Amino acid sequence: MNTLNRLFLALTPLLFLCSCQQKPYPIFFLSEAGSTEGTTAKFILMYKGRPYTRMPIVTHKDIQSYHSFMSMQDGSYGVVFTLKKEMINRLYSATINREGMLILPVVNGLAFQPLRIDRPITDGKLVIWNGLNGYDLKEIARDITPENEEMEKKRFMKKNPRPLPKLDPTRKNEKKDYTGRTIGEIFASGA
């Protein structure tokens, strides 16, 4: 019995480590706020002088699949995300009367080129036009099914060539996500 207890105690940390799940690579799309009058700062996020709602219209959990493409603009990658069927109507509803407004794509806390709404989105597809690298594609593929897995694997990178921005050390008491960034804090991707 004593040997069995020792074996169990020796294997417990290993079992604990194996049961840990990896955190998803955060992807979300924020819609531009129509007016900031009458709303509190808790619900609004300012990015490059424009107000966006903190509640995303789409997150990585809502995405069915993706495919990447090489951006002609700067040689980085762009991605087309296809939403799950139940999310297509939600995206349509979120964009129906928002012509001229912006949708801000955010991947792992980095904001990318905003999308201008010129008509309601009926096909359930959202695009990030450029700025992603092979590491981003590899991390996205952990949670979202690539449409062409063989092609995507050729683009993967093991390490992130983009350093994460330094955080302000004076903001110690604010809630932080698992990467250590302040919740709601978004950085420019450089795009």
Side-chain angles (χ1 to χ4, degrees), residues 76-140:
S76 64
Y77 294 108
V79 174
V80 177
F81 294 107
T82 303
L83 300 185
K84 294 178 180 175
K85 288 186 180 195
E86 59 270 17
M87 295 306 298
I88 293 173
N89 283 338
R90 180 177 175 182
L91 181 61
Y92 173 75
S93 298
T95 59
I96 193 163
N97 290 320
R98 316 257 314 151
E99 192 171 319
M101 303 292 272
L102 299 178
I103 296 176
L104 182 67
V106 180
V107 177
N108 197 28
L110 297 173
F112 291 85
Q113 179 181 352
L115 310 170
R116 183 163 305 277
I117 301 170
D118 59 354
R119 59 181 169 75
I121 301 173
T122 58
D123 61 358
K125 295 185 187 283
L126 287 168
V127 179
I128 297 177
W129 290 105
N130 62 354
L132 296 169
N133 58 45
Y135 179 80
D136 295 321
L137 297 178
K138 178 179 78 89
E139 292 298 309
I140 290 169

Side-chain angles (χ1 to χ4, degrees), residues 25-43:
Y25 204 60
I27 301 167
F28 51 92
F29 292 81
L30 303 174
S31 63
E32 185 177 9
S35 171
T36 57
E37 293 178 23
T39 58
T40 64
K42 290 181 183 179
F43 303 113

Side-chain angles (χ1 to χ4, degrees), residues 168-184:
D168 184 359
T170 61
R171 300 169 80 178
K172 292 180 183 174
N173 295 333
E174 295 184 72
K175 290 185 179 182
K176 297 191 168 127
D177 67 8
Y178 72 94
T179 63
R181 285 190 295 265
T182 304
I183 292 176

Side-chain angles (χ1 to χ4, degrees), residues 10-27:
L11 291 177
T12 301
L14 182 62
L15 292 172
F16 178 76
L17 290 174
C18 291
S19 68
C20 292
Q21 294 180 354
Q22 283 188 316
K23 304 272 190 222
Y25 204 60
I27 301 167

Side-chain angles (χ1 to χ4, degrees), residues 139-156:
E139 292 298 309
I140 290 169
R142 285 189 305 131
D143 300 309
I144 301 170
T145 307
E147 291 174 11
N148 184 344
E149 191 171 347
E150 186 178 314
M151 181 189 71
E152 296 299 336
K153 282 185 177 181
K154 292 176 184 176
R155 296 176 173 175
F156 290 172

